[in-house]
Amino acid sequence: MSLLELRDLSVHYRGARGEVAAVRSVSLGLEAGQTLGLAGESGCGKSTVAMSVLRLLPRNARVEGQVLLDGEDVQGMSWGRLRTVRWAAASVVFQGAMHALNPVHRVGDQIAEPMRLHGVSGSVSDLLGQVELPARAARAYPHELSGGQKQRVMIAMALACAPRLVIADEPTTALDVVVQAQVLDVLKRLVSERGIGLVMISHDLSVLASTCDRLAVMRYGQIVEEGPAREVIASPTHPHTQALAAAFPTVGDPASRQVTAEDAADGPVLLRAEGVRVDYGATKAVAGVDLEVRAGEIVALVGQSGSGKTTLARTLLGLQRPTAGRVLFEGTELPRSSSGLRAYRRQVQLVLQDPTSALNPRHSVYEAVAEGLRIHRIEGDEPTLVAEALSHAELRPPELFFPSLPHELSGGQRQRVVIAGALALGPRLLIADEPVASLDASVRGEILALLLRLRRELGLAALVITHDLGLAWTIADRVAVMYQGELVEQGTVEQVLLSPRHDYTRTLLAAVPQDQRSTRPNWTSSP
């Protein structure tokens, strides 16, 4: 008997305009000790399938078909029986640990909560140890932990009542490559040692390839391809699977490189950091960094979370004053006055990581793009300038988007609105902080192509902050590697990613899923 079996599962959502089919006739099975991957882009039905297993769907959902957990139909369970099944027989690792954890409760109390509800004895310290966290982490609040640590807390909570089935919904989204590898290792070890069944949901095929025994690819609510994970990814037959596989470039593969010889930037130095240091008390967040970006050049600043990348970006923007060193734009040190910094920021604009948080939910697209024009008192016809910026960001026809609110747009469209807001001021340099970290595979490719087009057509330079080495390989001219506040290595993309000199760069490359990197022995060898 299968641990989990879906038989002809269909889910419809009722709305003002009638019913919409989110999942259509899905049949899948999972044995204990195996991992099943569900791949696909946002809106394809992956999470709806997963939430159907424990009846966590909203009230406007209508479910047809069967969901069998150890042979028992979940849809026919009473609420009392369902409460005994949740956490104890099957549990969920929700996407976005920061939002899934209660910010005002210590994480140890949150891990213990399902044990109290089910009368299960156990040790929070032991659970933290299983996910490779120290016992003292139990006293921490979520905001005191890194993204990877919060994700491990969610896994510990899911394991608290020793379930036979764990559903992990995008457990590594937006994590840096080293933390991602650590979280995946934890999940694989738990499947091996405890014999649980694991359902892994992701849009990243390389993550699923390194974790799953079987893989099902979804599109428009249906399974379009299914089979052993390695076989599906190595020889995809459906065009959608092929597109997903192509969206994550292979580091070291010339075909994945989108920068040509004509793109090489030989212009003057636009932005330069000289010996920049930023201290937070006794902590050196940035330790004597020297970095430059030339006109028309794309530089990738890579490193783990907490390495100092964002602090350096804030300093380059004049949002953070350096403890020592200086920042120069076109050879002139950044001004200290508010008016001087306002003029500087017309030339250097920021593209934030999360477009949903970056946009005011009550402001229309027009207001979001026009805000910068008004702050900087840009002369000209405002609707025309807004339309031009939206067109540059490939939101066409722009007037169609003027009245839209952020929640009415897709993730990729919201990111384009953020980029349009930056472009409206006619900057010469974009500082883009993880611009595609939370986007689907195809949307990620579209945004990267947009950045390259803006460089070629408008002569824009960009400093792209990322933990994604595939992104750096795809669009950057040069790479700078940051570790514990220091730039430990920098050079051309080929120099740094194909022949790394520093051990930390090798560590980053070794953590990239195998399907996203070429097999170069010097990545993990000593210098």
Side-chain angles (χ1 to χ4, degrees):
M1 180 187 300
S2 297
L3 172 62
L4 175 67
E5 188 175 359
L6 308 181
R7 295 180 179 175
D8 204 25
L9 177 69
S10 295
V11 179
H12 295 76
Y13 289 117
R14 293 184 293 271
R17 299 182 180 179
E19 287 194 339
V20 175
V23 174
R24 295 181 285 176
S25 301
V26 167
S27 296
L28 291 169
L30 175 66
E31 305 293 332
Q34 290 187 343
T35 301
L36 170 68
L38 275 180
E41 298 189 314
S42 297
C44 72
K46 308 186 302 295
S47 294
T48 296
V49 168
M51 296 305 104
S52 300
V53 174
L54 290 176
R55 280 169 55 186
L56 295 173
L57 296 173
R59 291 184 179 181
N60 67 332
R62 181 173 62 84
V63 180
E64 298 175 345
Q66 289 184 302
V67 178
L68 302 178
L69 185 60
D70 275 336
E72 185 177 3
D73 191 355
V74 174
Q75 300 302 316
M77 290 180 180
S78 67
W79 283 110
R81 173 59 179 154
L82 190 59
R83 280 194 294 271
T84 65
V85 167
R86 290 173 175 170
W87 293 110
S91 60
V92 181
V93 179
F94 292 101
Q95 180 178 1
M98 174 55 89
H99 303 294
L101 293 171
N102 191 318
V104 300
H105 289 174
R106 297 183 190 274
V107 298
D109 294 334
Q110 298 186 60
I111 294 172
E113 183 178 11
M115 291 191 285
R116 289 196 301 270
L117 291 173
H118 288 273
V120 174
S121 61
S123 166
V124 170
S125 297
D126 289 345
L127 287 166
L128 289 171
Q130 289 182 38
V131 296
E132 301 175 5
L133 285 176
R136 65 177 181 274
R139 295 191 55 78
Y141 291 95
H143 73 272
E144 297 176 309
L145 302 178
S146 69
Q149 289 172 326
K150 285 192 284 284
Q151 199 64 60
R152 294 184 196 198
V153 167
M154 287 296 302
I155 296 171
M157 191 185 308
L159 298 174
C161 297
R164 298 183 300 280
L165 172 68
V166 174
I167 299 168
D169 191 357
E170 298 278 9
T172 62
T173 295
L175 297 180
D176 65 56
V177 288
V178 174
V179 177
Q180 172 180 274
Q182 293 168 351
V183 170
L184 293 178
D185 285 344
V186 167
L187 290 171
K188 287 187 287 188
R189 178 172 55 78
L190 292 170
V191 172
S192 174
E193 294 178 358
R194 299 181 56 164
I196 64 174
L198 175 65
V199 177
M200 276 278 292
I201 300 172
S202 180
H203 61 262
D204 188 338
L205 291 188
S206 63
V207 166
L208 298 177
S210 64
T211 311
C212 299
D213 301 299
R214 295 188 64 78
L215 175 63
V217 181
M218 293 190 68
R219 182 169 173 80
Y220 301 142
Q222 295 179 304
I223 302 293
V224 297
E225 189 161 0
E226 182 188 0
R230 286 288 178 182
E231 292 182 13
V232 170
I233 294 171
S235 302
T237 59
H238 194 276
H240 182 61
T241 312
Q242 295 167 357
L244 287 177
F248 290 90
T250 301
V251 176
D253 178 12
S256 299
R257 196 95 165 93
Q258 295 185 23
V259 179
T260 65
E262 292 79 18
D263 296 323
D266 56 0
V269 174
L270 197 60
L271 185 69
R272 186 196 305 274
E274 294 183 349
V276 168
R277 195 180 90 228
V278 179
D279 298 341
Y280 295 131
T283 302
K284 289 183 172 58
V286 178
V289 165
D290 294 311
L291 178 68
E292 64 181 36
V293 181
R294 294 183 173 274
E297 181 181 40
I298 296 181
V299 177
L301 181 63
V302 305
Q304 285 179 256
S305 299
S307 62
K309 305 187 303 294
T310 299
T311 299
L312 177 59
R314 287 176 53 83
T315 306
L316 296 177
L317 283 161
L319 298 171
Q320 169 77 50
R321 287 190 179 180
T323 307
R326 59 180 187 162
V327 178
L328 302 97
F329 184 73
E330 294 189 313
T332 302
E333 191 169 352
L334 296 195
R336 290 182 176 268
S337 67
S338 297
S339 59
L341 283 172
R342 185 181 295 112
Y344 164 67
R345 290 181 189 134
R346 280 192 59 181
Q347 303 296 315
V348 181
Q349 280 285 297
L350 174 66
V351 176
L352 291 167
Q353 174 178 354
D354 182 2
T356 302
S357 300
L359 295 171
N360 188 321
R362 300 178 66 181
H363 286 182
S364 67
V365 167
Y366 182 92
E367 292 294 321
V369 177
E371 183 178 17
L373 297 172
R374 296 167 185 171
I375 290 173
H376 291 272
R377 299 174 183 175
I378 305 298
E379 295 182 357
D381 181 63
E382 184 177 277
T384 300
L385 294 174
V386 171
E388 288 177 352
L390 289 171
S391 294
H392 281 310
E394 297 178 355
L395 288 171
R396 304 186 185 98
E399 293 78 11
L400 183 66
F401 292 91
F402 279 4
S404 300
L405 294 172
H407 75 271
E408 298 174 316
L409 305 176
S410 69
Q413 288 172 329
R414 285 192 291 269
Q415 189 66 286
R416 292 174 190 271
V417 171
V418 173
I419 293 173
L423 295 178
L425 300 179
R428 300 179 63 192
L429 171 67
L430 294 182
I431 296 181
D433 191 357
E434 298 284 7
V436 297
S438 58
L439 299 180
D440 281 335
S442 64
V443 179
R444 161 201 163 100
E446 292 170 0
I447 297 299
L448 295 183
L450 171 61
L451 291 175
L452 285 171
R453 185 181 64 77
L454 292 174
R455 188 260 283 272
R456 290 165 183 161
E457 294 182 1
L458 304 181
L460 268 179
L463 176 65
V464 180
I465 300 168
T466 183
H467 60 255
D468 186 341
L469 300 186
L471 181 155
W473 172 259
T474 300
I475 69 168
D477 300 290
R478 291 190 300 115
V479 176
V481 182
M482 204 162 184
Y483 177 59
Q484 295 184 348
E486 298 182 13
L487 278 188
V488 296
E489 185 167 2
Q490 56 180 313
T492 67
V493 169
E494 291 79 7
Q495 289 170 341
V496 174
L497 299 186
L498 298 186
S499 300
R501 300 187 303 274
H502 197 276
D503 283 342
Y504 177 67
T505 311
R506 295 189 180 97
T507 299
L508 287 178
L509 287 161
V512 175
Q514 184 66 43
D515 290 77
Q516 287 186 33
R517 58 185 169 96
S518 57
T519 52
R520 297 181 64 86
N522 63 337
W523 279 5
T524 53
S525 61
S526 299

